[in-house]
């Protein structure tokens, strides 16, 4: 196991585009839930799961920074009981700008967290209101400044393009203001309208004025070009970093490697099995009280599925898929398994082979889903 993902499902505000497992913070058993995290980790250890040598811990949500200082401190104390935090390569948490106070930053830093992933999304006040965010551009600037004062150097912010009513000039302004912060890492994602969200309901009513596909494609090109000009190199379709500041935890996913998922609705991949925990908080907590793993679903990954995942996850990386590593991992050559598919995609200009690696071309980056689907049987 290389990483641990811990899910904190609480939010003070639900964003209009979010479909993750989350609930409003008010009247929730937050303290009891944190103890359930510890119970789940304890159960895993008793069942023989080892956290020795883990490279990363990632706190996601929901919103981990919706917790109070005391709650964050308790959560981090529990994590220390099961993980040698000092040996981690990376300890990250997601954060909202308006909830990440100076006091919480100090708690996180003292608890071993060394990387912040801040959900800024936009530097346009009107757009932030439209998408259900409760912070403003000034909050983003403040929290970055305070994080640096506390001692955080590895800071990333998330941005979203293709938002309702968003213009090219608004996106360029957000890119300018984001990179003016001179952070080591940036993520830029296109808006995906997911079922069971406010945006999905509005779209079905014809009340969601999304930019067209051509404009969204232009915004993606702007993102790539702007980040490269600022020395933030793209290492995955949507992620950019100064070399050496790539997200190690996310690379575990894209390298199709193993990680534990802890918390309500969390997903994990261990010993060739993908699993998901119970999503409802009460159900999750009840199972941990009964001293059983709160797993709701499991799937044994077949060799064919593992090879498919190796390709469509690995091709998300700029470095692509290593031909020799594929051979070593599966005992079969990439040419033997996907030779015809590779030649077809090379012929259409979506991928290229350079030395030991197969990777997307620039055209392929824009048409990534089309290339990925070719590896699915």
């Amino acid at each position: 196991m290389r990483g641990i993902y811990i899910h904190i499902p609480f939010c003070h505000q639900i964003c209009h585009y979010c479909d993750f497992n989350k609930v409003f913070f008010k009247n929730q058993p937050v303290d009891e839930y944190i103890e359930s995290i510890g119970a789940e980790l304890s159960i895993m250890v008793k069942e023989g799961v080892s956290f020795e040598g883990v490279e990363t811990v990632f706190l996601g949500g929901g919103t981990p920074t919706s917790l109070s200082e005391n709650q964050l401190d308790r959560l981090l104390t529990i994590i220390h009981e099961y993980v040698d935090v000092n040996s981690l390569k990376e300890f990250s948490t997601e954060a909202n700008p308006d909830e990440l106070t100076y006091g919480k930053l100090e708690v996180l830093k003292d608890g071993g967290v060394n990387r912040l992933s801040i959900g800024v999304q936009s530097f346009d006040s009107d757009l932030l209101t439209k998408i259900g965010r409760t912070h403003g551009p000034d909050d983003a600037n403040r929290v970055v400044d305070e994080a640096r004062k506390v001692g955080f150097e590895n800071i990333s912010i998330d941005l979203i393009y293709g938002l309702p009513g968003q213009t090219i000039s608004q996106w360029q302004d957000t890119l300018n203001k984001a990179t003016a912060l001179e952070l080591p890492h940036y993520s830029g994602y296109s808006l995906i309208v997911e079922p069971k969200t406010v945006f999905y309901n509005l779209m079905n009513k014809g009340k969601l004025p999304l930019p067209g596909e051509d404009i969204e494609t232009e915004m993606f090109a702007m993102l790539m070009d702007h980040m490269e000009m600022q020395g933030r190199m793209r290492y995955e379709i949507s992620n950019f970093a100064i070399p050496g500041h790539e997200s190690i935890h996310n690379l575990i996913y894209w390298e199709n490697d193993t990680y534990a998922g802890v918390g309500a609705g969390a997903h994990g991949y261990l010993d060739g099995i993908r699993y998901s925990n119970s999503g409802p908080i009460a159900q999750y907590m009840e199972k941990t009280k009964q001293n059983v793993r709160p797993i709701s679903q499991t799937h044994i990954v077949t060799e064919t599925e593992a090879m498919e995942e190796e390709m469509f996850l690995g091709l998300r990386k700029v470095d692509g898929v290593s031909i020799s590593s594929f051979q070593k991992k599966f005992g079969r050559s990439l040419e033997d398994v996907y030779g015809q598919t590779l030649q077809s995609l090379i012929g259409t200009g979506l991928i290229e082979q350079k030395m030991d690696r197969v990777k997307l071309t620039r055209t392929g980056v824009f048409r990534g889903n089309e290339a990925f689907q070719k590896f699915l049987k």
Side-chain angles (χ1 to χ4, degrees):
M1 178 202 314
R2 290 182 59 193
I4 306 172
Y5 172 83
I6 299 177
H7 191 72
I8 307 300
F10 308 110
C11 293
H12 289 295
Q13 170 69 22
I14 305 297
C15 301
H16 298 343
Y17 53 83
C18 181
D19 72 330
F20 295 129
N21 188 46
K22 77 283 181 187
V23 294
F24 280 110
F25 189 96
K26 190 175 181 181
N27 298 324
Q28 294 294 330
V30 181
D31 294 323
E32 293 87 345
Y33 178 83
I34 293 171
E35 298 305 319
S36 292
I37 293 290
E40 183 182 1
L41 289 168
S42 176
I43 294 166
M44 294 176 76
V45 170
K46 290 175 183 176
E47 291 186 357
V49 178
S50 173
F51 297 118
E52 292 185 11
V54 171
E55 296 177 31
T56 70
V57 172
F58 190 99
L59 306 179
T63 316
T65 51
S66 66
L67 304 182
S68 68
E69 290 179 26
N70 287 338
Q71 289 166 341
L72 278 173
D73 184 65
R74 178 56 185 155
L75 174 63
L76 294 170
T77 297
I78 288 172
I79 293 170
H80 277 256
E81 291 179 16
Y82 298 96
V83 181
D84 182 4
V85 173
N86 294 324
S87 69
L88 293 175
K89 293 181 179 179
E90 182 181 277
F91 191 169
S92 300
T93 185
E94 293 179 344
N96 276 350
D98 53 338
E99 295 175 347
L100 192 51
T101 63
Y102 197 90
K104 291 181 184 180
L105 283 164
E106 290 182 315
V107 171
L108 291 168
K109 185 67 175 175
D110 291 342
V113 175
N114 57 22
R115 183 178 185 272
L116 302 175
S117 179
I118 305 172
V120 173
Q121 318 311 3
S122 174
F123 281 85
D124 186 280
S125 298
D126 290 339
L127 282 176
L128 287 169
T129 300
K130 285 181 181 179
I131 65 178
R133 302 294 285 177
T134 54
H135 74 271
D138 290 342
D139 291 310
N141 293 321
R142 171 197 60 79
V143 77
V144 168
D145 182 58
E146 291 184 349
R148 283 171 165 156
K149 288 179 180 177
V150 170
F152 284 99
E153 298 177 358
N154 199 356
I155 303 171
S156 175
I157 60 175
D158 289 352
L159 304 171
I160 301 179
Y161 60 93
L163 296 171
Q166 187 179 33
T167 65
I168 291 292
S169 61
Q170 285 175 317
W171 179 231
Q172 184 63 65
D173 182 64
T174 279
L175 290 174
N176 291 340
K177 290 176 177 176
T179 51
L181 293 171
E182 297 185 340
L183 301 176
H185 190 285
Y186 296 88
S187 299
Y189 303 102
S190 64
L191 175 69
I192 298 176
V193 180
E194 302 282 5
K196 300 180 182 180
T197 63
V198 172
F199 276 173
Y200 186 78
N201 294 332
L202 289 173
M203 184 177 69
N204 285 341
K205 296 176 182 178
K207 296 181 179 180
L208 193 68
L210 297 173
E213 185 176 333
D214 289 346
I215 293 178
E216 186 175 314
T217 299
E218 184 176 352
M219 289 178 171
F220 182 35
M222 290 168 62
L223 170 67
M224 290 195 293
D225 294 341
H226 184 85
M227 289 297 170
E228 184 174 351
M229 285 189 296
Q230 299 299 321
R232 274 62 183 172
M233 310 311 294
R234 185 173 61 84
Y235 67 98
E236 188 268 348
I237 287 179
S238 303
N239 287 269
F240 307 81
I242 294 174
H245 287 81
E246 298 84 357
S247 169
I248 300 172
H249 187 83
N250 285 338
L251 281 168
I252 291 173
Y253 300 150
W254 301 320
E255 290 169 1
N256 197 25
D257 221 325
T258 54
Y259 62 95
V262 178
H267 294 247
Y269 183 30
L270 296 174
D271 300 321
I273 299 173
R274 292 197 180 275
Y275 68 89
S276 58
N277 281 349
S278 298
I281 293 172
Q283 189 178 102
Y284 166 81
M285 292 172 57
E286 182 60 31
K287 288 186 177 181
T288 61
K289 287 179 183 177
Q290 295 172 0
N291 205 33
V292 296
R293 288 277 296 278
I295 294 175
S296 62
Q297 291 183 324
T298 60
H299 175 73
I300 298 174
V301 178
T302 66
E303 183 180 58
T304 297
E305 290 170 334
M307 290 189 292
E308 291 173 350
E309 292 171 353
E310 191 80 8
M311 296 307 297
F312 69 72
L313 290 171
L315 283 172
R316 292 190 63 88
K317 300 179 297 176
V318 169
D319 286 345
V321 176
S322 165
I323 296 172
S324 58
S325 293
F326 186 96
Q327 169 87 44
K328 183 178 180 180
K329 192 170 188 177
F330 299 107
R332 299 176 65 185
S333 72
L334 191 59
E335 177 66 26
D336 177 48
V337 181
Y338 291 117
Q340 189 173 347
T341 300
L342 293 173
Q343 291 308 312
S344 174
L345 289 170
I346 290 173
T348 55
L350 298 185
I351 68 170
E352 59 185 348
Q353 180 176 335
K354 289 188 175 180
M355 304 295 288
D356 182 50
R357 309 198 76 88
V358 174
K359 58 184 73 176
L360 293 177
T361 61
R362 183 176 173 91
T363 299
V365 172
F366 286 94
R367 295 163 57 187
N369 288 336
E370 181 181 339
F372 303 153
Q373 288 172 1
K374 297 294 185 182
F375 294 96
L376 301 178
K377 295 182 180 179

